[in-house]
Amino acid sequence: MKQEILEYKDQQNWFVGQFGEKLELSGFFGKQGGFERTRLASLLEKLYALSGLEEGDDPCAPQIHLIQKDGDDFAFLSFVVEMLQTRMDQQWSVRRHRGALLVLAGDRVLHLELPDGEMTIEQLFGQGTGQQYDFGETILIATKNEGKTKEFRAFFERLGYQVENLNQYPELSDVEETGMTFEENARLKAETISNETGKIVLADDSGLKVDALGGLPGVWSARFSGPQATDAKNNAKLLHELAMVFETEKRSAQFHCTLVVACPGRDSLVVEADWPGYIATAPKGDNGFGYDPIFLVGETGRTSAELTVTEKNQQSHRAKALEKLMEEFPKWQAQQN
């Protein structure tokens, strides 16, 4: 019988797995070699035992080959859990909590992995007694836009973070974006909301810069058509402004994104990126939001609104900024702790 091959790959990790009669772990284990292999094999054995599956004639024992593994064990744990769940009825999840990694089955903690092998009670659960603990670190996205939140969630859930947005905090007042640059506006939102809530807050200020209009609408992208602006009105106004610009190369533009992560008592983290393209002559596509229906992606002839979420997350200005954020975020956390 042909075996199904499972694979996980990101910038830091690359695992390949299949099922067999015996539990196996092979691959490249870095500088620590044998110690790292023994540790990961023990972890695999423990999760397999907790699953209730047994070695035998039915091929249900994970056989995993590590091509590359860097960083903590979150990706490895997630891959093992994903494999086991193809043979189990129950649902498991992997979460981060204050630097620790947890494998959960509903409200039950199946496995707890501590950074460097130990933590104090206060570090793991926070100060105080009799307090309700919400397992899983949360990042609050400073937006009420569900489309934008969906894009951020697709990235952060891969790292074990839960994502909220401002729709879950109706008591918070709106932060007036009075800055003259993308960074100033993103800082205002992230730092103000972080100080009010005590949470890690990610804010972005994104916009469309059209070369023929001297960089407009820029920081005014969301309200380009006036106080009662909508996506449709903004798109219509921009097409009107470019009505006499016929050559595609003269309709060049860039989506820009500045991301700021803020946490009380810490220096904020700032990254930014651009996504080059052109302005179409008419809207096309039903996906995305904002100027997506009139933004032609490079030389593809397709608008951003014609891309799937997956396709957009592989190349957009926000995706590029998030790639930079993923590189800098762990370092930022370590420096600020």
Side-chain angles (χ1 to χ4, degrees):
M1 181 177 67
K2 185 177 179 181
Q3 281 285 351
E4 179 185 7
I5 303 297
L6 303 175
E7 183 182 34
Y8 176 90
K9 186 177 182 181
D10 60 24
Q11 292 181 336
Q12 295 181 305
N13 304 281
W14 189 1
F15 316 136
V16 178
Q18 65 177 13
F19 289 96
E21 296 180 7
K22 297 291 184 181
L23 205 63
E24 292 181 8
L25 182 66
S26 60
F28 306 98
F29 298 95
K31 297 179 181 179
Q32 295 183 321
F35 172 81
E36 183 72 351
R37 184 190 184 285
T38 299
R39 186 181 70 82
L40 293 176
S42 176
L43 182 55
L44 175 60
E45 290 171 2
K46 178 176 181 179
L47 293 178
Y48 183 65
L50 288 169
S51 73
L53 301 172
E54 296 181 357
E55 296 176 342
D57 295 334
D58 183 26
C60 64
Q63 298 177 338
I64 299 176
H65 182 75
L66 275 62
I67 300 172
Q68 179 183 347
K69 181 184 181 299
D70 292 321
D72 63 18
D73 292 337
F74 180 82
F76 178 73
L77 283 169
S78 298
F79 185 67
V80 173
V81 165
E82 180 183 358
M83 288 192 69
L84 291 173
Q85 289 195 144
T86 66
R87 296 295 193 271
M88 298 189 305
D89 293 329
Q90 58 183 312
Q91 292 295 310
W92 290 3
S93 62
V94 183
R95 296 288 184 216
R96 294 182 186 273
H97 182 71
R98 298 180 181 272
L101 300 177
L102 300 92
V103 179
L104 307 174
D107 60 356
R108 293 186 299 120
V109 179
L110 301 178
H111 174 76
L112 171 64
E113 187 173 4
L114 303 178
D116 301 322
E118 63 178 16
M119 293 179 72
T120 66
I121 295 289
E122 289 76 18
Q123 287 174 325
L124 182 59
F125 294 106
Q127 299 290 338
T129 58
Q131 132 184 30
Q132 292 292 321
Y133 299 118
D134 180 19
F135 285 112
E137 289 198 62
T138 301
I139 291 180
L140 173 58
I141 310 299
T143 183
K144 294 181 180 178
N145 187 310
E146 294 294 344
K148 186 182 294 187
T149 302
K150 184 177 180 181
E151 292 182 17
F152 283 121
R153 182 174 286 116
F155 281 88
F156 280 107
E157 286 187 344
R158 291 184 302 177
L159 298 177
Y161 291 92
Q162 300 180 59
V163 170
E164 301 175 324
N165 68 20
L166 295 180
N167 291 323
Q168 294 161 272
Y169 294 85
E171 72 280 5
L172 294 178
S173 56
D174 292 336
V175 178
E176 189 174 355
E177 298 179 23
T178 57
M180 298 300 292
T181 67
F182 291 107
E183 181 177 336
E184 287 176 357
N185 282 332
R187 275 187 180 275
L188 277 170
K189 290 184 286 186
E191 294 175 357
T192 300
I193 296 170
S194 181
N195 287 331
E196 288 184 12
T197 63
K199 291 180 173 288
I200 297 177
V201 176
L202 170 63
D204 86 311
D205 197 36
S206 303
L208 183 66
K209 301 184 294 183
V210 180
D211 295 326
L213 301 180
L216 291 174
V219 295
W220 298 279
S221 293
R223 48 195 183 276
F224 188 48
S225 58
Q228 305 301 318
T230 64
D231 288 349
K233 289 180 180 179
N234 287 338
N235 287 332
K237 178 174 173 59
L238 183 56
L239 292 178
H240 175 75
E241 295 292 334
L242 294 176
M244 301 307 294
V245 181
F246 302 107
E247 298 88 346
T248 299
E249 62 272 14
K250 292 184 179 180
R251 298 171 71 94
S252 59
Q254 309 87 42
F255 266 132
H256 176 87
C257 178
T258 295
L259 301 179
V260 174
V261 181
C263 188
R266 303 185 184 185
D267 294 330
S268 296
L269 173 63
V270 182
V271 297
E272 59 183 10
D274 288 312
W275 189 21
Y278 302 90
I279 302 302
T281 56
K284 290 190 301 180
D286 300 318
N287 300 324
F289 55 92
Y291 294 95
D292 283 343
I294 61 172
F295 181 77
L296 291 170
V297 179
E299 308 295 334
T300 66
R302 299 170 68 195
T303 69
S304 178
E306 293 179 293
L307 303 180
T308 65
V309 172
T310 300
E311 289 175 323
K312 187 176 180 182
N313 281 348
Q314 291 173 344
Q315 58 188 297
S316 74
H317 54 308
R318 193 167 292 112
K320 293 177 181 179
L322 275 168
E323 285 180 10
K324 295 181 181 179
L325 185 66
M326 293 304 102
E327 295 177 8
E328 299 300 325
F329 188 72
K331 293 184 254 183
W332 175 78
Q333 279 193 309
Q335 290 171 356
Q336 304 296 331
N337 285 334

